[in-house]
Coordinates of all heavy atoms in Angstrom, one line a residue:
M1 N -15.6 -19.3 8.7 CA -14.3 -18.7 8.4 C -13.4 -19.7 7.8 O -13.2 -20.8 8.4 CB -13.8 -18.0 9.6 CG -12.3 -17.8 9.7 SD -12.0 -16.1 9.4 CE -10.2 -16.1 9.3
E2 N -12.7 -19.4 6.8 CA -11.8 -20.2 6.1 C -10.5 -20.2 7.0 O -10.0 -19.2 7.4 CB -11.5 -19.6 4.7 CG -10.5 -20.4 3.9 CD -10.3 -19.6 2.5 OE1 -11.0 -18.6 2.3 OE2 -9.6 -20.1 1.7
K3 N -9.9 -21.4 7.1 CA -8.7 -21.5 7.9 C -7.5 -21.6 6.9 O -7.5 -22.5 6.0 CB -8.7 -22.8 8.8 CG -7.6 -22.8 9.8 CD -7.9 -24.0 10.7 CE -6.7 -24.1 11.7 NZ -6.9 -25.2 12.6
Y4 N -6.6 -20.7 7.0 CA -5.5 -20.7 6.0 C -4.4 -21.7 6.4 O -4.0 -21.8 7.5 CB -4.9 -19.3 5.9 CG -5.9 -18.3 5.4 CD1 -6.1 -17.1 6.1 CD2 -6.7 -18.5 4.3 CE1 -7.1 -16.2 5.8 CE2 -7.6 -17.6 3.9 CZ -7.8 -16.4 4.6 OH -8.7 -15.5 4.3
R5 N -3.8 -22.3 5.4 CA -2.6 -23.1 5.6 C -1.3 -22.3 5.8 O -0.4 -22.6 6.5 CB -2.4 -24.0 4.4 CG -1.3 -25.0 4.6 CD -1.1 -25.9 3.4 NE -2.3 -26.8 3.3 CZ -2.5 -27.6 2.3 NH1 -1.7 -27.8 1.4 NH2 -3.6 -28.4 2.3
R6 N -1.3 -21.2 5.0 CA -0.2 -20.2 5.1 C -0.7 -18.8 4.9 O -1.5 -18.6 4.0 CB 0.9 -20.6 4.1 CG 2.1 -19.7 4.1 CD 3.2 -20.2 3.2 NE 3.7 -21.5 3.7 CZ 3.6 -22.7 3.1 NH1 3.2 -22.7 1.8 NH2 4.1 -23.8 3.6
H7 N -0.3 -17.9 5.8 CA -0.9 -16.6 5.7 C 0.2 -15.5 5.8 O 0.9 -15.4 6.7 CB -1.8 -16.4 6.9 CG -2.8 -15.3 6.8 ND1 -3.8 -15.1 7.7 CD2 -3.0 -14.3 5.8 CE1 -4.6 -14.1 7.3 NE2 -4.1 -13.6 6.2
F8 N 0.3 -14.7 4.7 CA 1.2 -13.6 4.6 C 0.5 -12.4 5.2 O -0.6 -12.0 4.7 CB 1.6 -13.3 3.1 CG 2.4 -14.3 2.4 CD1 1.9 -15.5 2.0 CD2 3.8 -14.1 2.2 CE1 2.7 -16.5 1.4 CE2 4.6 -15.0 1.6 CZ 4.0 -16.2 1.2
L9 N 1.1 -11.8 6.2 CA 0.6 -10.5 6.8 C 1.5 -9.4 6.4 O 2.7 -9.4 6.8 CB 0.5 -10.7 8.3 CG -0.5 -11.8 8.8 CD1 -0.4 -11.9 10.3 CD2 -1.9 -11.4 8.3
V10 N 1.0 -8.5 5.7 CA 1.8 -7.3 5.2 C 1.5 -6.1 6.0 O 0.3 -5.7 6.0 CB 1.6 -7.1 3.7 CG1 2.5 -5.9 3.2 CG2 1.8 -8.4 2.9
C11 N 2.5 -5.5 6.6 CA 2.2 -4.3 7.4 C 1.9 -3.1 6.4 O 2.8 -2.8 5.6 CB 3.4 -3.9 8.3 SG 3.1 -2.3 9.1
I12 N 0.8 -2.5 6.5 CA 0.4 -1.4 5.6 C 0.1 -0.1 6.4 O -0.5 0.8 6.0 CB -0.8 -1.8 4.7 CG1 -2.0 -2.2 5.6 CG2 -0.4 -2.8 3.7 CD1 -3.3 -2.4 4.8
T13 N 0.7 -0.1 7.6 CA 0.5 1.1 8.5 C 1.1 2.4 7.8 O 2.2 2.4 7.2 CB 1.3 0.9 9.8 OG1 0.8 -0.3 10.4 CG2 1.2 2.1 10.7
N14 N 0.2 3.4 7.8 CA 0.6 4.7 7.3 C 0.6 5.7 8.4 O -0.4 6.1 9.0 CB -0.4 5.2 6.3 CG 0.0 4.9 4.9 OD1 1.1 5.3 4.5 ND2 -0.8 4.2 4.1
R15 N 1.8 6.2 8.8 CA 1.8 7.2 9.8 C 2.0 8.6 9.1 O 2.5 8.6 8.0 CB 3.0 7.0 10.8 CG 2.8 5.8 11.7 CD 3.7 5.8 12.9 NE 3.4 4.6 13.7 CZ 4.1 3.4 13.6 NH1 5.1 3.3 12.7 NH2 3.8 2.4 14.3
P16 N 1.6 9.6 9.8 CA 1.7 11.0 9.2 C 3.2 11.3 9.0 O 4.0 10.9 9.7 CB 1.0 11.9 10.2 CG 0.5 11.1 11.3 CD 0.9 9.7 11.1
P17 N 3.4 12.2 8.0 CA 4.8 12.7 7.8 C 5.3 13.3 9.1 O 4.6 13.8 9.9 CB 4.6 13.8 6.7 CG 3.3 13.6 6.1 CD 2.5 12.8 7.1
F18 N 6.6 13.3 9.2 CA 7.3 13.8 10.4 C 7.0 13.1 11.7 O 7.3 13.6 12.8 CB 7.0 15.4 10.6 CG 7.2 16.1 9.3 CD1 6.1 16.7 8.6 CD2 8.5 16.2 8.7 CE1 6.3 17.4 7.5 CE2 8.7 16.9 7.6 CZ 7.6 17.5 6.9
S19 N 6.4 11.9 11.6 CA 6.3 11.1 12.8 C 7.2 9.9 12.7 O 8.0 9.8 11.8 CB 4.8 10.7 13.0 OG 4.4 9.8 12.0
H20 N 6.9 8.9 13.5 CA 7.7 7.6 13.4 C 7.6 7.0 12.0 O 6.5 7.0 11.4 CB 7.2 6.7 14.5 CG 8.0 5.5 14.8 ND1 9.4 5.6 15.2 CD2 7.8 4.2 14.7 CE1 9.8 4.4 15.3 NE2 8.9 3.5 15.0
E21 N 8.7 6.4 11.5 CA 8.6 5.7 10.2 C 7.5 4.6 10.2 O 7.2 4.1 11.2 CB 10.0 5.0 10.0 CG 10.9 5.7 9.0 CD 12.2 4.9 8.8 OE1 12.1 4.0 7.9 OE2 13.2 5.1 9.5
S22 N 7.1 4.3 9.0 CA 6.1 3.3 8.8 C 6.2 2.7 7.4 O 6.8 3.2 6.5 CB 4.7 3.8 9.0 OG 4.4 4.9 8.2
C23 N 5.6 1.5 7.3 CA 5.7 0.7 6.0 C 4.9 1.3 4.9 O 5.3 1.2 3.7 CB 5.3 -0.7 6.3 SG 6.3 -1.6 7.5
G24 N 3.8 1.9 5.2 CA 2.9 2.4 4.1 C 3.6 3.3 3.1 O 3.5 3.1 1.9
P25 N 4.3 4.4 3.6 CA 4.9 5.3 2.6 C 6.0 4.7 1.8 O 6.5 5.2 0.8 CB 5.5 6.4 3.5 CG 4.7 6.3 4.8 CD 4.3 4.9 4.9
K26 N 6.4 3.5 2.1 CA 7.5 2.8 1.4 C 6.9 1.8 0.4 O 7.7 0.9 0.0 CB 8.5 2.1 2.4 CG 9.2 3.1 3.3 CD 10.1 2.3 4.3 CE 10.0 2.9 5.6 NZ 10.7 2.1 6.6
G27 N 5.7 1.8 0.1 CA 5.1 1.0 -0.9 C 4.4 -0.3 -0.4 O 4.2 -1.2 -1.2
A28 N 4.1 -0.4 0.8 CA 3.5 -1.6 1.4 C 2.2 -2.0 0.7 O 2.0 -3.2 0.5 CB 3.4 -1.5 2.9
A29 N 1.4 -1.0 0.4 CA 0.1 -1.4 -0.2 C 0.3 -2.0 -1.5 O -0.5 -2.9 -1.9 CB -0.8 -0.1 -0.3
D30 N 1.3 -1.5 -2.3 CA 1.5 -2.1 -3.6 C 2.1 -3.5 -3.5 O 1.8 -4.4 -4.3 CB 2.5 -1.2 -4.4 CG 2.0 0.1 -4.8 OD1 0.7 0.2 -4.9 OD2 2.8 1.1 -5.0
V31 N 2.9 -3.7 -2.4 CA 3.4 -5.1 -2.2 C 2.2 -6.0 -1.9 O 2.1 -7.1 -2.4 CB 4.4 -5.1 -1.0 CG1 4.7 -6.5 -0.5 CG2 5.7 -4.4 -1.4
L32 N 1.3 -5.6 -1.0 CA 0.2 -6.4 -0.7 C -0.7 -6.7 -1.9 O -1.1 -7.9 -2.1 CB -0.7 -5.7 0.4 CG -2.0 -6.4 0.8 CD1 -1.7 -7.8 1.3 CD2 -2.8 -5.6 1.7
A33 N -1.0 -5.7 -2.7 CA -1.8 -5.9 -3.9 C -1.2 -6.9 -4.8 O -1.8 -7.8 -5.4 CB -2.1 -4.5 -4.6
K34 N 0.1 -6.7 -5.1 CA 0.8 -7.6 -6.0 C 0.9 -9.1 -5.4 O 0.7 -10.0 -6.2 CB 2.2 -7.1 -6.3 CG 2.8 -7.9 -7.5 CD 4.1 -7.2 -8.0 CE 4.7 -8.0 -9.1 NZ 5.9 -7.3 -9.7
L35 N 1.0 -9.2 -4.1 CA 1.1 -10.5 -3.5 C -0.3 -11.2 -3.6 O -0.4 -12.4 -4.0 CB 1.5 -10.3 -2.0 CG 1.8 -11.5 -1.2 CD1 2.8 -12.5 -1.8 CD2 2.3 -11.1 0.2
Q36 N -1.3 -10.4 -3.4 CA -2.7 -11.0 -3.5 C -3.0 -11.4 -4.9 O -3.5 -12.5 -5.1 CB -3.7 -10.0 -3.0 CG -3.7 -9.8 -1.5 CD -4.6 -8.7 -1.0 OE1 -4.8 -7.7 -1.6 NE2 -5.1 -8.9 0.2
K37 N -2.6 -10.6 -5.9 CA -2.8 -10.9 -7.3 C -2.0 -12.2 -7.7 O -2.5 -13.1 -8.4 CB -2.4 -9.8 -8.2 CG -3.5 -8.7 -8.3 CD -3.0 -7.6 -9.3 CE -3.9 -6.4 -9.2 NZ -3.3 -5.2 -9.6
G38 N -0.8 -12.2 -7.2 CA 0.1 -13.4 -7.5 C -0.5 -14.7 -6.9 O -0.5 -15.7 -7.6
L39 N -1.0 -14.6 -5.7 CA -1.6 -15.8 -5.1 C -2.8 -16.2 -5.8 O -3.1 -17.4 -6.0 CB -1.8 -15.6 -3.6 CG -0.6 -15.3 -2.7 CD1 -1.1 -15.0 -1.3 CD2 0.4 -16.5 -2.7
D40 N -3.6 -15.2 -6.2 CA -4.9 -15.5 -6.9 C -4.6 -16.1 -8.3 O -5.3 -17.0 -8.7 CB -5.7 -14.2 -7.1 CG -6.4 -13.8 -5.8 OD1 -6.4 -14.6 -4.9 OD2 -6.9 -12.7 -5.8
R41 N -3.6 -15.5 -9.0 CA -3.3 -16.0 -10.3 C -2.9 -17.5 -10.3 O -3.3 -18.2 -11.2 CB -2.2 -15.1 -10.9 CG -2.1 -15.3 -12.4 CD -1.0 -14.3 -13.0 NE 0.3 -14.4 -12.4 CZ 0.8 -13.4 -11.6 NH1 0.2 -12.3 -11.5 NH2 2.0 -13.6 -11.1
K42 N -2.2 -17.9 -9.3 CA -1.8 -19.3 -9.2 C -2.8 -20.1 -8.4 O -2.6 -21.3 -8.1 CB -0.4 -19.4 -8.6 CG 0.6 -18.8 -9.5 CD 2.0 -19.0 -8.9 CE 3.1 -18.4 -9.7 NZ 3.5 -19.2 -10.8
K43 N -4.0 -19.5 -8.1 CA -5.1 -20.2 -7.3 C -4.6 -20.8 -6.0 O -5.1 -21.9 -5.6 CB -5.7 -21.3 -8.2 CG -6.3 -20.7 -9.5 CD -7.2 -21.8 -10.1 CE -7.8 -21.3 -11.4 NZ -8.6 -20.1 -11.4
L44 N -3.6 -20.1 -5.4 CA -3.0 -20.7 -4.2 C -4.0 -20.6 -3.0 O -4.0 -21.5 -2.1 CB -1.7 -20.0 -3.8 CG -0.6 -20.3 -4.8 CD1 0.7 -19.6 -4.3 CD2 -0.3 -21.7 -5.0
R45 N -4.8 -19.6 -3.0 CA -5.8 -19.5 -1.9 C -6.9 -20.6 -2.0 O -7.2 -21.3 -1.1 CB -6.4 -18.1 -1.9 CG -7.4 -17.9 -0.8 CD -7.9 -16.5 -0.7 NE -8.9 -16.3 0.3 CZ -9.1 -15.2 1.0 NH1 -8.4 -14.2 0.7 NH2 -10.0 -15.1 1.9
E46 N -7.4 -20.6 -3.2 CA -8.4 -21.6 -3.6 C -8.0 -23.0 -3.4 O -8.7 -23.8 -2.8 CB -8.8 -21.2 -5.0 CG -9.9 -22.0 -5.6 CD -10.1 -21.5 -7.1 OE1 -9.8 -20.4 -7.4 OE2 -10.4 -22.4 -7.9
L47 N -6.8 -23.3 -3.9 CA -6.4 -24.8 -3.9 C -5.6 -25.2 -2.7 O -5.7 -26.3 -2.2 CB -5.6 -25.0 -5.1 CG -6.3 -24.9 -6.5 CD1 -5.3 -25.1 -7.6 CD2 -7.5 -25.8 -6.6
Y48 N -4.9 -24.2 -2.1 CA -4.0 -24.6 -1.0 C -4.1 -23.8 0.3 O -3.4 -24.0 1.2 CB -2.5 -24.5 -1.5 CG -2.2 -25.4 -2.7 CD1 -2.0 -24.8 -3.9 CD2 -2.2 -26.8 -2.5 CE1 -1.8 -25.6 -5.0 CE2 -1.9 -27.6 -3.6 CZ -1.8 -27.0 -4.9 OH -1.5 -27.8 -6.0
G49 N -5.1 -22.9 0.3 CA -5.3 -22.1 1.5 C -4.1 -21.1 1.8 O -3.8 -20.9 3.0
V50 N -3.5 -20.5 0.8 CA -2.5 -19.5 1.0 C -3.0 -18.2 0.8 O -3.5 -17.9 -0.3 CB -1.2 -19.8 0.1 CG1 -0.1 -18.8 0.4 CG2 -0.7 -21.2 0.3
A51 N -3.0 -17.3 1.8 CA -3.6 -16.0 1.6 C -2.6 -14.8 2.0 O -1.6 -15.1 2.7 CB -4.8 -15.9 2.5
A52 N -3.0 -13.6 1.6 CA -2.2 -12.4 2.0 C -3.2 -11.4 2.5 O -4.3 -11.1 1.9 CB -1.4 -11.9 0.9
T53 N -2.9 -10.8 3.6 CA -3.8 -9.8 4.3 C -2.9 -8.6 4.8 O -1.8 -8.8 5.2 CB -4.5 -10.4 5.5 OG1 -5.2 -11.6 5.0 CG2 -5.5 -9.4 6.1
G54 N -3.5 -7.4 4.7 CA -2.8 -6.2 5.3 C -3.0 -6.2 6.8 O -4.0 -6.7 7.3
T55 N -2.0 -5.7 7.5 CA -2.1 -5.7 8.9 C -1.5 -4.4 9.4 O -0.9 -3.6 8.7 CB -1.5 -6.9 9.6 OG1 -1.8 -6.9 11.0 CG2 0.1 -6.8 9.4
T56 N -1.7 -4.1 10.7 CA -1.1 -2.9 11.3 C 0.4 -3.2 11.7 O 0.9 -4.3 11.5 CB -1.9 -2.5 12.5 OG1 -2.1 -3.6 13.4 CG2 -3.3 -2.0 12.1
C57 N 1.0 -2.3 12.4 CA 2.4 -2.4 12.8 C 2.9 -3.7 13.4 O 2.2 -4.2 14.3 CB 2.7 -1.2 13.7 SG 4.4 -1.1 14.1
L58 N 4.0 -4.2 12.8 CA 4.6 -5.4 13.3 C 5.8 -5.1 14.2 O 6.4 -6.1 14.7 CB 5.0 -6.3 12.1 CG 3.9 -6.8 11.2 CD1 4.5 -7.4 9.9 CD2 3.0 -7.8 11.9
G59 N 6.0 -3.9 14.4 CA 7.1 -3.5 15.4 C 8.5 -3.3 14.9 O 9.4 -3.2 15.7
L60 N 8.7 -3.4 13.6 CA 10.0 -3.3 13.0 C 10.0 -2.2 12.0 O 10.5 -2.4 10.9 CB 10.5 -4.7 12.4 CG 10.6 -5.8 13.4 CD1 10.6 -7.1 12.7 CD2 11.8 -5.7 14.3
C61 N 9.5 -1.1 12.3 CA 9.1 0.0 11.4 C 10.2 0.5 10.5 O 10.0 0.8 9.3 CB 8.4 1.1 12.2 SG 7.3 0.6 13.4
E62 N 11.4 0.6 11.0 CA 12.5 1.2 10.2 C 12.9 0.4 9.0 O 13.5 0.9 8.1 CB 13.7 1.5 11.1 CG 13.5 2.5 12.1 CD 12.7 2.1 13.4 OE1 12.5 0.9 13.5 OE2 12.2 3.0 14.1
S63 N 12.6 -0.9 9.1 CA 13.0 -1.8 8.0 C 11.9 -2.3 7.1 O 12.1 -3.2 6.3 CB 13.7 -3.0 8.6 OG 12.8 -3.6 9.5
G64 N 10.8 -1.6 7.1 CA 9.7 -2.0 6.2 C 9.9 -1.7 4.8 O 10.9 -1.1 4.4
P65 N 9.0 -2.1 4.0 CA 7.8 -2.9 4.3 C 8.1 -4.3 4.9 O 8.9 -5.0 4.3 CB 7.0 -3.0 3.0 CG 7.5 -1.9 2.2 CD 8.9 -1.7 2.6
N66 N 7.4 -4.6 6.0 CA 7.6 -5.9 6.6 C 6.5 -6.8 6.4 O 5.3 -6.4 6.3 CB 7.8 -5.7 8.1 CG 9.0 -4.9 8.5 OD1 10.1 -5.3 8.2 ND2 8.9 -3.7 9.1
V67 N 6.9 -8.1 6.3 CA 5.9 -9.2 6.0 C 6.2 -10.3 7.0 O 7.4 -10.7 7.1 CB 6.0 -9.7 4.6 CG1 5.0 -10.8 4.3 CG2 5.8 -8.6 3.6
V68 N 5.2 -10.9 7.6 CA 5.4 -12.1 8.4 C 4.5 -13.2 7.9 O 3.4 -12.9 7.4 CB 5.2 -11.8 9.9 CG1 3.7 -11.4 10.2 CG2 5.5 -13.1 10.7
V69 N 5.0 -14.4 7.9 CA 4.2 -15.5 7.3 C 3.9 -16.5 8.4 O 4.9 -17.0 9.1 CB 4.9 -16.2 6.2 CG1 4.0 -17.3 5.5 CG2 5.4 -15.2 5.1
Y70 N 2.7 -16.8 8.7 CA 2.3 -17.8 9.7 C 1.6 -18.9 9.0 O 1.0 -18.8 8.0 CB 1.3 -17.1 10.7 CG 2.0 -16.2 11.7 CD1 1.7 -14.8 11.7 CD2 3.0 -16.7 12.6 CE1 2.4 -14.0 12.5 CE2 3.6 -15.8 13.4 CZ 3.3 -14.5 13.4 OH 4.0 -13.7 14.3
P71 N 1.7 -20.1 9.6 CA 2.3 -20.5 10.8 C 3.8 -20.7 10.8 O 4.4 -21.1 11.8 CB 1.6 -21.8 11.2 CG 1.4 -22.5 9.9 CD 1.1 -21.3 8.9
D72 N 4.4 -20.4 9.7 CA 5.9 -20.6 9.5 C 6.7 -19.7 10.4 O 7.9 -20.0 10.6 CB 6.3 -20.4 8.1 CG 5.4 -21.2 7.1 OD1 4.7 -22.1 7.5 OD2 5.5 -20.8 5.9
N73 N 6.2 -18.6 10.9 CA 6.9 -17.6 11.7 C 8.2 -17.2 11.0 O 9.3 -17.1 11.5 CB 7.3 -18.2 13.1 CG 7.7 -17.1 14.0 OD1 7.4 -16.0 13.9 ND2 8.5 -17.5 15.0
V74 N 8.0 -16.8 9.7 CA 9.1 -16.3 8.9 C 8.8 -14.8 8.6 O 7.7 -14.4 8.3 CB 9.2 -17.0 7.5 CG1 10.1 -16.4 6.6 CG2 9.6 -18.5 7.7
W75 N 9.9 -14.0 8.9 CA 9.8 -12.6 8.8 C 10.6 -12.1 7.7 O 11.8 -12.4 7.5 CB 10.2 -11.9 10.1 CG 9.3 -12.1 11.3 CD1 9.1 -13.3 11.9 CD2 8.5 -11.2 11.9 NE1 8.2 -13.1 12.9 CE2 7.8 -11.8 13.0 CE3 8.3 -9.8 11.7 CZ2 6.9 -11.2 13.8 CZ3 7.4 -9.1 12.5 CH2 6.7 -9.8 13.6
Y76 N 10.0 -11.2 6.9 CA 10.7 -10.5 5.8 C 10.8 -9.0 6.0 O 9.8 -8.4 6.5 CB 10.0 -10.8 4.4 CG 10.0 -12.2 4.0 CD1 8.8 -12.9 4.0 CD2 11.2 -12.9 3.6 CE1 8.8 -14.2 3.6 CE2 11.2 -14.2 3.2 CZ 10.0 -14.9 3.2 OH 9.9 -16.2 2.8
G77 N 11.9 -8.4 5.6 CA 12.0 -6.9 5.8 C 12.4 -6.3 4.5 O 13.1 -6.9 3.6
G78 N 12.0 -5.0 4.3 CA 12.4 -4.2 3.1 C 11.9 -4.9 1.8 O 12.5 -4.8 0.8
V79 N 10.7 -5.4 1.9 CA 10.1 -6.1 0.7 C 9.6 -5.0 -0.3 O 9.0 -4.0 0.1 CB 8.9 -7.0 1.1 CG1 8.3 -7.7 -0.1 CG2 9.4 -8.0 2.1
T80 N 9.9 -5.3 -1.6 CA 9.4 -4.4 -2.7 C 8.5 -5.2 -3.6 O 8.5 -6.4 -3.5 CB 10.6 -3.8 -3.5 OG1 11.2 -4.9 -4.2 CG2 11.7 -3.2 -2.6
V81 N 7.9 -4.5 -4.5 CA 7.0 -5.2 -5.5 C 7.8 -6.1 -6.3 O 7.3 -7.1 -6.8 CB 6.2 -4.2 -6.3 CG1 5.1 -3.5 -5.5 CG2 7.1 -3.2 -7.0
E82 N 9.1 -5.8 -6.6 CA 10.0 -6.6 -7.4 C 10.2 -8.0 -6.7 O 10.6 -8.9 -7.4 CB 11.3 -5.9 -7.7 CG 11.2 -4.8 -8.7 CD 10.6 -3.5 -8.1 OE1 10.7 -3.3 -6.9 OE2 10.1 -2.6 -8.9
D83 N 10.1 -8.0 -5.4 CA 10.4 -9.2 -4.6 C 9.2 -10.2 -4.6 O 9.3 -11.4 -4.3 CB 10.7 -8.9 -3.2 CG 12.0 -8.0 -3.0 OD1 12.9 -8.3 -3.8 OD2 12.0 -7.2 -2.2
V84 N 8.0 -9.7 -4.9 CA 6.8 -10.5 -4.8 C 6.8 -11.8 -5.6 O 6.4 -12.8 -5.0 CB 5.6 -9.6 -5.1 CG1 4.3 -10.4 -5.1 CG2 5.4 -8.5 -4.0
P85 N 7.2 -11.8 -6.8 CA 7.2 -13.1 -7.6 C 8.0 -14.2 -6.9 O 7.6 -15.3 -6.8 CB 7.8 -12.7 -8.9 CG 7.5 -11.3 -9.1 CD 7.6 -10.7 -7.7
D86 N 9.1 -13.8 -6.3 CA 9.9 -14.8 -5.5 C 9.1 -15.3 -4.3 O 9.2 -16.5 -3.9 CB 11.3 -14.2 -5.1 CG 12.2 -14.1 -6.2 OD1 12.0 -14.7 -7.3 OD2 13.3 -13.5 -6.1
L87 N 8.5 -14.4 -3.6 CA 7.7 -14.8 -2.4 C 6.6 -15.7 -2.8 O 6.3 -16.7 -2.2 CB 7.1 -13.5 -1.7 CG 8.0 -12.6 -1.0 CD1 7.3 -11.4 -0.4 CD2 8.7 -13.4 0.2
V88 N 5.9 -15.4 -3.9 CA 4.8 -16.3 -4.4 C 5.3 -17.6 -4.8 O 4.8 -18.7 -4.3 CB 4.0 -15.6 -5.5 CG1 3.0 -16.6 -6.1 CG2 3.3 -14.3 -5.0
D89 N 6.3 -17.6 -5.6 CA 6.8 -18.9 -6.2 C 7.5 -19.8 -5.2 O 7.3 -21.0 -5.1 CB 7.7 -18.6 -7.4 CG 7.0 -18.0 -8.6 OD1 5.7 -18.2 -8.6 OD2 7.6 -17.4 -9.4
S90 N 8.4 -19.2 -4.4 CA 9.2 -20.0 -3.4 C 8.4 -20.3 -2.2 O 8.2 -21.4 -1.8 CB 10.5 -19.2 -3.1 OG 11.2 -20.0 -2.2
H91 N 7.9 -19.2 -1.5 CA 7.3 -19.5 -0.2 C 5.8 -19.8 -0.4 O 5.3 -20.8 0.3 CB 7.4 -18.2 0.7 CG 7.3 -18.5 2.2 ND1 7.9 -17.8 3.1 CD2 6.7 -19.5 2.8 CE1 7.6 -18.3 4.3 NE2 6.9 -19.4 4.1
G92 N 5.1 -19.2 -1.3 CA 3.7 -19.5 -1.5 C 3.5 -20.8 -2.1 O 2.6 -21.6 -1.6
V93 N 4.2 -21.2 -3.1 CA 4.0 -22.4 -3.8 C 4.7 -23.6 -3.1 O 4.1 -24.6 -2.8 CB 4.4 -22.4 -5.3 CG1 4.3 -23.7 -5.9 CG2 3.6 -21.3 -6.0
D94 N 6.0 -23.4 -2.9 CA 6.9 -24.5 -2.4 C 7.0 -24.5 -0.8 O 7.6 -25.4 -0.3 CB 8.3 -24.4 -3.0 CG 8.2 -24.6 -4.5 OD1 7.3 -25.3 -5.0 OD2 9.0 -24.0 -5.2
G95 N 6.6 -23.4 -0.2 CA 6.8 -23.3 1.3 C 8.3 -23.1 1.7 O 8.6 -23.3 2.9
K96 N 9.1 -22.6 0.7 CA 10.5 -22.4 1.0 C 10.7 -20.9 1.2 O 10.5 -20.1 0.3 CB 11.4 -22.8 -0.1 CG 11.4 -24.3 -0.3 CD 12.3 -24.7 -1.4 CE 12.2 -26.2 -1.7 NZ 12.7 -26.6 -3.0
P97 N 11.2 -20.4 2.4 CA 11.4 -19.0 2.6 C 12.4 -18.4 1.6 O 13.3 -19.2 1.1 CB 12.0 -18.9 4.0 CG 11.4 -20.1 4.7 CD 11.4 -21.2 3.6
V98 N 12.3 -17.2 1.3 CA 13.2 -16.5 0.4 C 14.4 -15.9 1.2 O 14.2 -14.9 1.9 CB 12.5 -15.4 -0.4 CG1 13.5 -14.7 -1.4 CG2 11.3 -16.0 -1.2
D99 N 15.5 -16.6 1.3 CA 16.6 -16.3 2.2 C 17.0 -14.8 2.1 O 17.3 -14.2 3.1 CB 17.8 -17.2 1.9 CG 17.5 -18.6 2.4 OD1 16.5 -18.8 3.2 OD2 18.3 -19.5 2.0
R100 N 17.1 -14.3 0.9 CA 17.7 -13.0 0.7 C 16.8 -11.9 1.3 O 17.2 -10.7 1.5 CB 18.0 -12.7 -0.8 CG 16.7 -12.6 -1.6 CD 17.0 -12.3 -3.1 NE 15.8 -12.3 -3.9 CZ 15.0 -11.2 -4.0 NH1 15.3 -10.1 -3.4 NH2 13.9 -11.3 -4.7
L101 N 15.5 -12.2 1.5 CA 14.6 -11.2 2.1 C 14.3 -11.4 3.6 O 13.6 -10.6 4.2 CB 13.2 -11.3 1.3 CG 13.2 -11.0 -0.1 CD1 11.9 -11.3 -0.7 CD2 13.7 -9.6 -0.4
L102 N 14.9 -12.4 4.2 CA 14.7 -12.6 5.6 C 15.1 -11.4 6.4 O 16.1 -10.8 6.2 CB 15.4 -13.9 6.1 CG 15.0 -15.2 5.5 CD1 15.9 -16.3 6.0 CD2 13.5 -15.5 5.9
H103 N 14.3 -11.1 7.4 CA 14.5 -9.9 8.2 C 15.8 -10.2 9.1 O 15.8 -11.2 9.8 CB 13.3 -9.6 9.1 CG 13.3 -8.2 9.6 ND1 14.3 -7.8 10.5 CD2 12.6 -7.2 9.3 CE1 14.1 -6.5 10.7 NE2 13.1 -6.1 10.0
P104 N 16.8 -9.3 9.1 CA 18.0 -9.6 9.8 C 17.8 -9.5 11.3 O 18.7 -10.0 12.0 CB 18.9 -8.5 9.3 CG 18.1 -7.4 8.8 CD 16.8 -8.1 8.3
D105 N 16.8 -8.8 11.8 CA 16.6 -8.7 13.2 C 15.7 -9.7 13.9 O 15.4 -9.6 15.1 CB 16.1 -7.3 13.5 CG 17.0 -6.2 13.0 OD1 18.2 -6.4 13.0 OD2 16.5 -5.1 12.7
V106 N 15.3 -10.7 13.1 CA 14.4 -11.7 13.7 C 15.0 -13.1 13.4 O 15.4 -13.4 12.3 CB 13.0 -11.7 13.0 CG1 12.1 -12.8 13.6 CG2 12.3 -10.3 13.1
E107 N 15.2 -13.8 14.5 CA 15.8 -15.1 14.4 C 14.8 -16.2 14.3 O 13.7 -16.1 14.9 CB 16.7 -15.4 15.6 CG 17.9 -14.5 15.6 CD 18.8 -14.7 16.8 OE1 18.8 -15.8 17.4 OE2 19.6 -13.8 17.1
Ligands
LIG201 S1 4.8 0.4 10.5 FE1 5.2 -1.5 9.6 S2 6.3 -2.6 11.1 FE2 5.7 -0.8 12.1

């Protein structure tokens, strides 16, 4: 098993309509796909061990799509596909969190 230097976990939970909110219906799968493509295009996984994986609920459902990056312990909320290039270039390449996307409920 490959050990990642930096790992983006994107919540892609899909709950049924009329139940508790979830990230999936707000475009989380598209965020994950674009993030994975962006990391691949820059060879970040291959060269630097930076990866993105879908995951289940991160517990902040109302503000999704949510993304957490380990081992940095940086949380992002309300991420859209338009935000992905900044995540790849700033956090993925340079290791600098994207301040404007930081989750307001996580210190
Ligand atoms: S459904 Fe995504 S954080 Fe709970």
